[in-house]
Amino acid sequence: MTQKIINNTLADDRVKENYIFISDIHGNHETLGLIEQAKKDFPYAQLVTGGDYIDGRDSVKEVLDYLIEQKSEGAIVLLGNHEQMLLNYANEREHQDGIWFFNGGSDTLRQLLGEVATPEELRASRYYRFLTGCPIMYETPNIVFVHGGVRPDEKYNDPATYNSVDHGFKIDYDFYRIWARERFWYSDTLNKKIAHNKTKKTIVVGHTPTCGLEGVFDDGRLMNRLSPDHCIVRKMQYPGEPARVFTDGGSHSDPLIYPHNDGNVVVLDGKGDVVKVYNYNNPQGTEVKE
């Protein structure tokens, strides 16, 4: 039974009875209570967090402090695109007029360090050291946990097959996994045709608030957008194939308009089936029958 990190993927050949997954906390303190309830109900489950802990609400420091403690107790903490933007700034690959500050970087710095810190000051912090040690993906024999997605085909975990340019951005393996949206969802982006999952594994992601998902399946089924305050756990799945499970509960949305988009804490079994979901509407959890 081994774990090893290759290409920013933590590969684990064990199958745990249960996994607790939460992504896109975005500084939302209420989400931590949902995680604790899931841990109480499933005390032997592997906790996996899927990125985007910063930028959004008012408890970024508390969230990262909590995750640092959880990692010391065995939690697997993955990077999201917002953490990567923080690291880009800290490593002086992005400046204060860049995309991170457009997405809340200055507020995150103030919460973490009391000021809009310089890259050097950020590099000296425990938060930089913590985030630089986080992998991008966690893979078990039956499940892939990742922030944005992987290409849903047989070569999903081959970095050499991720080489393209889109709107001036180089789409390599790491970039795809933390930023993917339409390329992960669709086989035909123009017509929003939902792709098949040919990886033979359930893929569990955050990144996109689930209310915004839409598309058409090959068999004519439709996936329609939902209201922004209804970011429930959703799936893209064809019969006989493993699912792609989308969990982002919308915590990055404006808290004045959507104060209860607190995230979805999802419990899965070792095969990748969802068994329970905790959110604002159901803080004690709702059982899911596959």
Side-chain angles (χ1 to χ4, degrees):
M1 295 188 294
T2 60
Q3 287 185 347
K4 57 184 178 181
I5 295 181
I6 301 174
N7 296 320
N8 286 323
T9 295
L10 177 60
D12 192 340
D13 63 8
R14 297 168 294 183
V15 175
K16 302 293 183 67
E17 182 177 357
N18 291 110
Y19 300 86
I20 299 169
F21 182 78
I22 176 64
S23 187
D24 297 85
I25 301 173
H26 284 296
N28 188 12
H29 192 272
E30 286 75 6
T31 308
L32 305 185
L34 300 175
I35 298 171
E36 285 300 301
Q37 183 62 53
K39 288 177 58 185
K40 179 181 178 182
D41 294 343
F42 296 86
Y44 302 108
Q46 174 65 63
L47 176 60
V48 184
T49 64
D52 281 14
Y53 317 115
I54 64 174
D55 304 340
R57 305 205 179 183
D58 296 331
S59 298
V60 170
K61 184 178 187 300
E62 290 84 348
V63 167
L64 287 185
D65 287 342
Y66 174 82
L67 293 176
I68 290 170
E69 178 183 356
Q70 293 302 304
K71 187 174 182 180
S72 72
E73 297 175 1
I76 293 165
V77 182
L78 305 178
L79 283 183
N81 58 302
H82 283 257
E83 287 76 46
Q84 187 59 61
M85 288 189 285
L86 178 153
L87 294 176
N88 289 346
Y89 171 72
N91 294 327
E92 300 184 62
R93 293 198 295 266
E94 180 180 322
H95 303 288
Q96 290 188 19
D97 58 354
I99 188 174
W100 185 43
F101 283 79
F102 178 78
N103 280 277
S106 58
D107 287 340
T108 288
L109 286 173
R110 289 190 188 96
Q111 289 185 50
L112 294 179
L113 302 174
E115 60 179 343
V116 181
T118 66
E120 183 179 20
E121 290 169 331
L122 181 54
R123 289 197 302 272
S125 73
R126 71 193 297 244
Y127 304 109
Y128 175 83
R129 293 191 296 274
F130 170 60
L131 293 174
T132 55
C134 295
I136 289 176
M137 192 163 85
Y138 174 52
E139 183 170 11
T140 79
N142 300 314
I143 312 172
V144 171
F145 296 97
V146 66
H147 181 65
V150 291
R151 203 179 53 242
D153 62 30
E154 297 87 344
K155 294 186 177 181
Y156 70 94
N157 59 355
D158 181 355
T161 65
Y162 288 79
N163 276 307
S164 62
V165 177
D166 188 2
H167 295 89
F169 290 101
K170 180 182 178 183
I171 312 299
D172 62 13
Y173 190 39
D174 287 352
F175 187 95
Y176 188 109
R177 291 187 291 173
I178 62 173
W179 284 98
R181 286 197 167 105
E182 287 84 355
R183 288 169 173 256
F184 172 55
W185 309 341
Y186 303 135
S187 58
D188 177 349
T189 57
L190 181 62
N191 295 301
K192 297 184 178 179
K193 290 291 185 71
I194 292 174
H196 289 261
N197 180 6
K198 299 178 181 179
T199 67
K200 298 183 180 180
K201 296 190 178 188
T202 298
I203 307 169
V204 186
V205 303
H207 189 45
T208 300
T210 63
C211 61
L213 296 172
E214 61 181 342
V216 58
F217 291 87
D218 286 352
D219 54 20
R221 289 177 294 135
L222 296 178
M223 173 176 272
N224 295 314
R225 285 177 173 257
L226 304 175
S227 63
D229 61 347
H230 195 50
C231 289
I232 59 174
V233 175
R234 305 181 77 185
K235 293 182 181 179
M236 290 181 178
Q237 185 173 21
Y238 283 95
E241 296 180 359
R244 282 167 289 170
V245 181
F246 296 82
T247 68
D248 183 351
S251 290
H252 199 224
S253 57
D254 189 335
L256 297 178
I257 302 175
Y258 306 110
H260 300 309
N261 284 25
D262 291 345
N264 296 301
V265 176
V266 182
V267 179
L268 305 102
D269 64 20
K271 298 181 296 183
D273 294 330
V274 177
V275 297
K276 202 163 188 178
V277 177
Y278 301 78
N279 52 34
Y280 172 79
N281 292 318
N282 300 283
Q284 298 303 310
T286 299
E287 293 187 3
V288 177
K289 298 189 182 299
E290 293 283 344

